[in-house]
Amino acid sequence: LFEAYIPLYACTVMMRFWLGKSSAWTALGISVVCCFAGSWSFATGLALWPLIPLLAFGCRPDLCGRPLTKILVAWLVCTAVAAGLYTMNFTNAVAPQFAYGQGHDVTVEHSMSRFIRLLPQAPAFIMGTLGSHLSRGLHLPNLGLAQTVGGVSLAIFALIILAAWKDRRDGAWLRALMPWICLGLLSIGSAALIAAGRIGQIYSQAISVRYISHAIPLTVAIIAGLWIVRERWLPRWRHGVPIIAACTGGFLVLLTTPGVYSASMMDLW
């Protein structure tokens, strides 16, 4: 599913321009193009739009007052246009028996009404999606373990956001953490959008192998974010580097298990 990587690529391009030396308006224009490309290639690309103001706040500490207001107004207009175009007469063109029960209903209305009805189940579904890539090949119940790993990941990520907020007046500190925060939020937003479209199906859809790629950026963001926080708060903690290195190595080892499994299935197929 190469199109699932287009929103991630768009996110990294956006971050590169906001962190670079181009003007804020150039960064906004490139970001809007990236958001449109991500949104139209895969539904999870819609999670890109809320990242623009975060990048503006976090990566451009000198942007404030009237210039910032103009940027935000332009962003709101573009986001409203994109949302209108995306939801306008959006129906599933696939035959009803292959359209996840949607038939000829308007897709967005059908999915969102079902998502709101099943909202109490959404947190568990989202946590399962976010932990699915680290719960395979361990000979444990996949769904329950995925939800546990996803919940722990969200808790650690929340602490990184709290650390960024605590010293938010330090522009260099916020600039260092904000790209990783946006990367993690892309994963969380993607998981929420997957839940919006699939929560009414079999509950194990949360750990479907086709959605693993959406959870990986959150884990990468946690590794990088913890490293940055350690460098600032515990610069002389001698056990910090080995622990984070061990966690990173374990993460890479765990990522190989779905790959080996997929390769075996392809050989069999």
Side-chain angles (χ1 to χ4, degrees), residues 1 4-5 8 133 187 209-217:
L1 289 176
Y5 289 93
L8 179 60
H133 62 307
S187 276
V209 71
R210 69 187 300 184
Y211 301 129
I212 281 180
S213 59
H214 298 294
I216 293 175

Side-chain angles (χ1 to χ4, degrees), residues 22 31 48 156-157 195:
S22 56
S31 297
L48 290 169
I156 296 173
F157 186 68

Side-chain angles (χ1 to χ4, degrees), residues 94-128:
V94 180
Q97 62 268 31
F98 302 114
Y100 294 99
Q102 293 169 3
H104 297 290
D105 296 329
V106 177
T107 304
V108 174
E109 293 177 6
H110 179 276
S111 295
M112 291 311 299
S113 62
R114 181 178 57 191
F115 179 66
I116 293 171
R117 188 172 68 253
L118 300 175
L119 196 59
Q121 301 176 24
F125 191 102
I126 292 170
M127 286 189 292

Side-chain angles (χ1 to χ4, degrees), residues 31-32 35-36 39-40 45-53 75 78-79 82:
S31 297
V32 168
C35 287
F36 272 108
S39 301
W40 262 258
L46 294 172
L48 290 169
W49 290 97
L51 301 184
I52 293 180
W75 163 74
C78 294
T79 303

Side-chain angles (χ1 to χ4, degrees), residues 8-196:
L8 179 60
Y9 176 73
C11 182
T12 59
V13 171
M14 289 165 54
M15 290 190 294
R16 179 65 186 86
F17 275 88
W18 283 105
L19 288 169
K21 297 181 179 179
S22 56
S23 70
W25 285 104
T26 300
L28 176 65
I30 296 294
S31 297
V32 168
V33 172
C34 288
C35 287
F36 272 108
S39 301
W40 262 258
S41 65
F42 207 70
T44 55
L46 294 172
L48 290 169
W49 290 97
L51 301 184
I52 293 180
L54 291 177
L55 289 169
F57 279 117
C59 299
R60 298 293 176 99
D62 56 324
L63 189 64
C64 56
R66 182 171 293 181
L68 178 60
T69 301
K70 291 180 179 179
I71 289 288
L72 293 179
V73 169
W75 163 74
L76 278 173
V77 171
C78 294
T79 303
V81 170
L85 291 174
Y86 200 88
T87 57
M88 188 183 301
N89 194 30
F90 183 8
T91 57
N92 198 324
V94 180
Q97 62 268 31
F98 302 114
Y100 294 99
Q102 293 169 3
H104 297 290
D105 296 329
V106 177
T107 304
V108 174
E109 293 177 6
H110 179 276
S111 295
M112 291 311 299
S113 62
R114 181 178 57 191
F115 179 66
I116 293 171
R117 188 172 68 253
L118 300 175
L119 196 59
Q121 301 176 24
F125 191 102
I126 292 170
M127 286 189 292
T129 302
L130 293 175
S132 62
H133 62 307
L134 298 178
S135 64
R136 297 172 183 274
L138 301 179
H139 305 290
L140 293 169
N142 274 358
L143 182 57
L145 183 59
Q147 291 169 337
T148 301
V149 172
V152 171
S153 297
L154 284 173
I156 296 173
F157 186 68
L159 292 176
I160 294 173
I161 293 177
L162 185 62
W165 177 259
K166 183 177 181 296
D167 295 335
R168 62 189 180 279
R169 297 186 185 279
D170 186 339
W173 164 247
L174 201 58
R175 183 179 168 89
L177 272 180
M178 188 54 70
W180 303 108
I181 289 175
C182 286
L183 199 63
L185 289 175
L186 178 63
S187 276
I188 296 170
S190 298
L193 288 165
I194 291 168

